[in-house]
């Protein structure tokens, strides 16, 4: 790996310093996944060491720390699903598994000495801005507080598992596992397993669970479109070339970037997307022997409306004698079984819920109180929809930044590209503010409103809105607050610098002495 090595024991002095009851820093980062790590690295590179990274888990990695179900892997190519500034010539396969990505994250964390800035098992439960002092106070679940000038919400939208509310669920006597909270100690050998949901996670673990379980019933509400996965392993020679000639690795990354980026075209031309559907239907019928089952696996909405999944081993799983596909709805859960809407009853020792995440920040942040300028409360401001400017700043909440905020998700390329663009933008905001000698910046409401009105207008023509499906990209009323509806280089261009005229710039009214217990 160019540049990624393990290092360095934590600086115990700094660690001790971080654990005081109330701590004051220039920047607080919430979340230790790819976003928080990128932010921390760029702060250090800019010579800003006065920051803390608050992570609710006990390790770095976010999604890749928590999601460890069998077969967990990334469906974006490894050379794209890694930082542009921390290339890894040693990726074993075109698409990496969770463990390899997790190892990469640990390597980057150690190389940049980030553990000494990190407070693990530290859940942030609220954030409040004091406009006189120009400081934020972050409330922690353990009762402590962190006072900061800026804070960056890098918790990501896919971290609160969604549990369906099936009738009788509480009566079930067997084991219940959510895909995002896999219990590796539970032995499925010989067990009757019912798996609910057929999204990105399910299609990855179903082939593995099928091999282990006595019987596996896959409950499908809506079939996903699945394309073949280019499973290639990188040869020793390729890795050597990538290490010896980093320009080759960068060229390879560029090629992957451009080929992914080309997939933005059908998003705006659903008729183009439809052209690929006959080949994918043929793929299903080629891989699944039973014709009735194959027909059930064919989606009825336009390709791309929901996230396009990639797999070579999901469809063949349905050729196994111990696997069945059920397309009836779940009517009721009983002590040892599940009853479907057609009245059939399936015995179950274990229910695996692959029912996704609560993605709407209005719901998953309902217990996370954020108050900004006087009279501003994020729950109120977002009552109709979560809105930000460039997915990063929210009017009325000065010096608060979000990574992978509203309308920054992607259906076609690597989210890490978006994160790097956002981090560059945040660094530019912090730097400009310091240069001006101001205390806080706040995006103008009319700038934010115009931006979102235009975005929603542009989203209207996309396959996500017109493809005949509902997905987690949309909130309940159909509005899409999740995805960026353009090429990613357009996002990079928009976030390259902070435009002075988009923001109000302010000095603090009061100066608060830099000492602990400034609040609380
Ligand atoms: O969740 P999902 P996921 N009764 O929301 C079904 C990322 N990811 O955890 O389609 C019955 O996709 C629901 O049915 P329907 C990626 O961005 C990335 O798999 O709503 N079924 C659906 O089938 C992905 O999009 C990787 O009709 C119910 C499923 O549950 C995101 O995470 C890997 C139901 C939920 O699928 C989420 O993926 C894995 C109910 N009551 C995940 N409620 C990479 O490779 C829900 N469903 C990068």
């Amino acid at each position: 790996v160019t540049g990624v090595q393990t290092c360095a024991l934590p600086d115990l002095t700094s660690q001790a310093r971080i654990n005081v009851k109330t701590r004051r820093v220039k920047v607080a980062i919430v979340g230790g996944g790819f976003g928080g790590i990128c932010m921390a690295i760029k702060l250090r590179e800019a010579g800003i060491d006065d920051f803390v990274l608050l992570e609710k888990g006990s390790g770095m990695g976010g999604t890749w720390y928590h999601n460890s179900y069998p077969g967990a892997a990334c469906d974006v190519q490894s050379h794209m699903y890694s930082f542009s500034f921390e290339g890894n010539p040693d990726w074993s396969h075109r698409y990496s598994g969770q463990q390899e990505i997790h190892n990469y994250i640990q390597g980057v964390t150690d190389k940049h000495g980030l553990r000494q800035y990190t407070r693990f098992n530290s859940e942030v439960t609220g954030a409040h801005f004091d406009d006189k002092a120009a400081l934020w106070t972050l409330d922690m679940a353990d009762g402590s507080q962190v006072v900061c000038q800026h804070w960056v919400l890098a918790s990501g939208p896919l971290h609160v598992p969604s549990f369906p509310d099936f009738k009788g669920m509480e009566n079930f006597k067997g084991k219940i596992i959510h895909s995002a909270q896999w219990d590796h100690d539970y032995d499925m050998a010989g067990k009757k397993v019912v798996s609910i949901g057929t999204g990105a996670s399910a299609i990855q673990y179903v082939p593995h669970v099928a091999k282990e379980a006595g019987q596996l019933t896959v409950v499908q509400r809506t079939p996903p479109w699945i394309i073949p996965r280019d499973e290639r392993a990188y040869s020793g020679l390729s890795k050597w070339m990538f290490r010896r000639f980093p320009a080759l690795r960068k060229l390879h990354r560029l090629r992957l970037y451009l080929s992914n980026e080309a997939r933005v075209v059908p998003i705006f031309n659903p008729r183009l997307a439809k052209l690929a559907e006959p080949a994918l239907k043929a793929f299903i019928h080629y891989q699944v022997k039973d014709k009735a089952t194959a027909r059930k696996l064919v989606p009825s909405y336009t390709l791309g409306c929901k996230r396009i999944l990639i797999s070579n081993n999901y469809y063949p799983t349905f050729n196994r004698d111990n696997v069945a596909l059920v397309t009836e709805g779940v009517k009721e859960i009983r002590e040892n079984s599940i009853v479907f809407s057609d009245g059939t009853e399936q015995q179950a020792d274990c229910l695996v819920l692959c029912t996704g995440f609560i993605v709407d920040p209005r719901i998953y942040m309902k217990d996370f109180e954020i108050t900004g300028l006087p009279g501003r409360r994020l729950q109120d401001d977002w009552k109709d929809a979560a809105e930000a400017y460039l997915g990063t700043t929210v009017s009325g909440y000065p010096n608060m930044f979000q990574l992978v905020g509203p309308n920054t998700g992607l259906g076609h390329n690597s989210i890490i590209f978006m994160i790097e663009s956002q981090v560059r933008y945040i660094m530019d905001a912090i730097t400009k503010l310091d240069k001006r000698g101001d205390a806080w910046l706040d995006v103008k409401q009319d700038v934010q409103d115009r931006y979102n009105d235009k975005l929603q207008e542009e989203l209207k023509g996309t396959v996500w809105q017109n493809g005949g499906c509902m997905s987690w990209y949309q909130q309940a009323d159909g509005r899409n607050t999740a995805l960026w509806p353009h090429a990613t280089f357009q996002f990079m261009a928009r976030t390259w610098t902070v435009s002075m005229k988009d923001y109000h710039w302010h000095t603090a009214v009061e100066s608060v002495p830099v000492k602990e217990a400034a609040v609380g």
Side-chain angles (χ1 to χ4, degrees):
V1 176
T2 324
V4 179
Q5 299 126 17
T6 15
C7 88
L9 286 167
D11 166 353
L12 294 177
T13 322
S14 304
Q15 188 71 42
R17 192 163 51 90
I18 285 167
N19 285 333
V20 295
K21 191 106 174 107
T22 297
R23 164 135 166 76
R24 175 153 169 196
V25 286
K26 184 176 177 75
V27 186
I29 303 167
V30 180
F34 266 107
I37 290 171
C38 185
M39 191 69 231
I41 291 172
K42 294 299 163 186
L43 283 170
R44 288 209 70 192
E45 279 177 10
I48 301 174
D49 274 327
D50 186 15
F51 71 91
V52 63
L53 194 157
L54 305 163
E55 166 54 51
K56 76 173 175 182
S58 49
M60 291 299 238
T63 291
W64 301 101
Y65 171 79
H66 292 285
N67 288 263
S68 64
Y69 55 80
C74 186
D75 56 15
V76 176
Q77 308 92 337
S78 315
H79 279 277
M80 267 313 297
Y81 199 79
S82 43
F83 294 124
S84 61
F85 51 87
E86 278 303 350
N88 174 12
D90 288 325
W91 288 117
S92 65
H93 289 78
R94 183 158 288 220
Y95 297 95
S96 297
Q98 176 262 343
Q99 191 59 56
E100 195 170 352
I101 299 169
H102 190 248
N103 291 346
Y104 168 83
I105 292 171
Q106 304 316 308
V108 172
T109 301
D110 289 337
K111 180 187 168 192
H112 290 270
L114 301 185
R115 286 183 212 280
Q116 61 179 302
Y117 298 91
T118 305
R119 193 164 129 181
F120 291 107
N121 305 308
S122 298
E123 187 175 354
V124 182
T125 55
H128 309 281
F129 185 64
D130 174 345
D131 64 316
K132 303 276 186 310
L135 290 172
W136 280 92
T137 300
L138 307 188
D139 297 330
M140 313 294 299
D142 66 2
S144 65
Q145 292 178 317
V146 172
V147 178
C148 51
Q149 183 187 6
H150 307 271
W151 72 289
V152 182
L153 182 58
S155 53
L158 296 172
H159 67 114
V160 180
S162 168
F163 286 86
D165 186 18
F166 296 126
K167 184 179 165 209
M169 190 83 163
E170 65 286 359
N171 301 326
F172 187 64
K173 292 252 165 64
K175 176 81 180 171
I176 298 178
I177 299 176
H178 192 285
S179 58
Q181 298 168 340
W182 203 265
D183 182 351
H184 292 275
D185 293 332
Y186 182 73
D187 184 7
M188 291 192 180
K191 301 268 172 46
K192 293 186 183 72
V193 178
V194 175
S195 170
I196 301 174
T198 52
S201 310
I203 69 144
Q204 292 183 333
Y205 71 68
V206 157
H208 295 267
V209 170
K211 285 186 198 150
E212 209 183 320
Q215 194 185 332
L216 171 64
T217 305
V218 177
V219 183
Q220 168 188 283
R221 187 163 70 178
T222 316
W225 279 108
I226 302 178
I227 60 173
R229 186 181 178 96
D230 183 0
E231 293 278 21
R232 254 175 289 181
Y234 287 107
S235 66
L237 178 64
S238 303
K239 291 184 210 166
W240 180 83
M241 300 267 282
F242 286 156
R243 197 174 312 111
R244 181 79 183 75
F245 306 107
L248 282 181
R249 179 182 53 72
K250 287 178 187 161
L251 262 179
H252 180 58
R253 181 181 161 97
L254 178 65
R255 192 183 76 66
L256 295 172
Y257 173 76
L258 293 174
S259 65
N260 291 350
E261 210 52 20
R263 301 197 320 214
V264 84
V265 178
I267 290 171
F268 288 95
N269 300 280
R271 271 180 301 176
L272 265 184
K274 279 210 149 319
L275 292 178
E277 289 179 9
L280 294 178
K281 284 182 193 167
F283 178 57
I284 298 172
H285 286 279
Y286 172 70
Q287 289 209 309
V288 180
K289 287 191 198 130
D290 179 62
K291 291 207 173 349
T293 305
R295 275 195 298 276
K296 289 182 189 171
L297 289 165
V298 176
S300 59
Y301 56 87
T302 306
L303 174 69
C305 184
K306 282 175 187 276
R307 188 178 173 95
I308 299 172
L309 309 182
I310 57 166
S311 175
N312 297 335
N313 58 1
Y314 177 68
Y315 289 138
T317 305
F318 294 98
N319 296 329
R320 295 176 64 99
D321 291 339
N322 68 333
V323 177
L325 177 69
V326 169
T327 53
E328 299 296 330
V330 176
K331 188 175 164 202
E332 183 186 354
I333 309 282
R334 293 187 181 157
E335 284 189 2
N336 300 300
S337 66
I338 174 165
V339 182
F340 297 106
S341 50
D342 64 352
T344 54
E345 184 170 2
Q346 170 66 48
Q347 295 301 306
D349 302 310
C350 173
L351 291 184
V352 183
L353 304 175
C354 181
T355 42
F357 299 86
I358 299 174
V359 182
D360 189 336
R362 298 173 305 161
I363 303 171
Y364 76 74
M365 286 174 68
K366 75 177 169 23
D367 299 323
F368 189 128
E369 172 99 343
I370 299 180
T371 54
L373 289 174
R376 303 295 294 269
R377 189 173 160 262
L378 200 64
Q379 279 293 327
D380 300 333
D381 285 330
W382 280 4
K383 80 178 154 23
D384 296 327
E387 283 190 350
Y389 180 55
L390 297 167
T392 312
T393 49
V394 182
S395 184
Y397 301 83
N399 295 3
M400 175 181 97
F401 303 97
Q402 224 183 323
L403 292 177
V404 197
N407 292 104
T408 55
L410 295 177
H412 71 286
N413 213 333
S414 173
I415 193 65
I416 293 168
F417 186 94
M418 302 295 272
I419 287 172
E420 287 189 29
S421 300
Q422 289 190 285
V423 169
R424 187 185 312 104
Y425 186 78
I426 297 168
M427 288 308 303
D428 193 45
I430 293 175
T431 310
K432 282 194 167 123
L433 198 71
D434 286 351
K435 274 197 187 136
R436 287 173 61 98
D438 283 334
W440 49 273
L441 78 166
D442 184 30
V443 65
K444 294 175 181 167
Q445 189 68 54
D446 61 318
V447 169
Q448 179 178 307
D449 291 345
R450 270 201 308 277
Y451 169 82
N452 281 286
D453 289 348
K454 188 156 180 285
L455 206 64
Q456 289 304 321
E457 217 30 63
E458 289 158 345
L459 275 158
K460 280 186 185 156
T462 62
V463 67
W464 307 313
Q465 303 302 103
N466 298 326
C469 79
M470 273 297 281
S471 72
W472 68 255
Y473 299 157
Q474 294 146 310
Q475 51 183 47
D477 62 6
R479 185 184 165 110
N480 185 328
T481 55
L483 297 188
W484 170 249
H486 297 290
T488 57
F489 56 78
Q490 286 170 282
F491 187 77
M492 182 172 76
R494 290 292 305 266
T495 51
W496 196 259
T497 58
V498 171
S499 164
M500 303 298 290
K501 64 179 174 20
D502 288 348
Y503 286 83
H504 297 295
W505 303 80
H506 288 269
T507 47
V509 175
E510 283 171 8
S511 94
V512 175
V514 181
K515 63 171 190 187
E516 282 159 13
V519 294

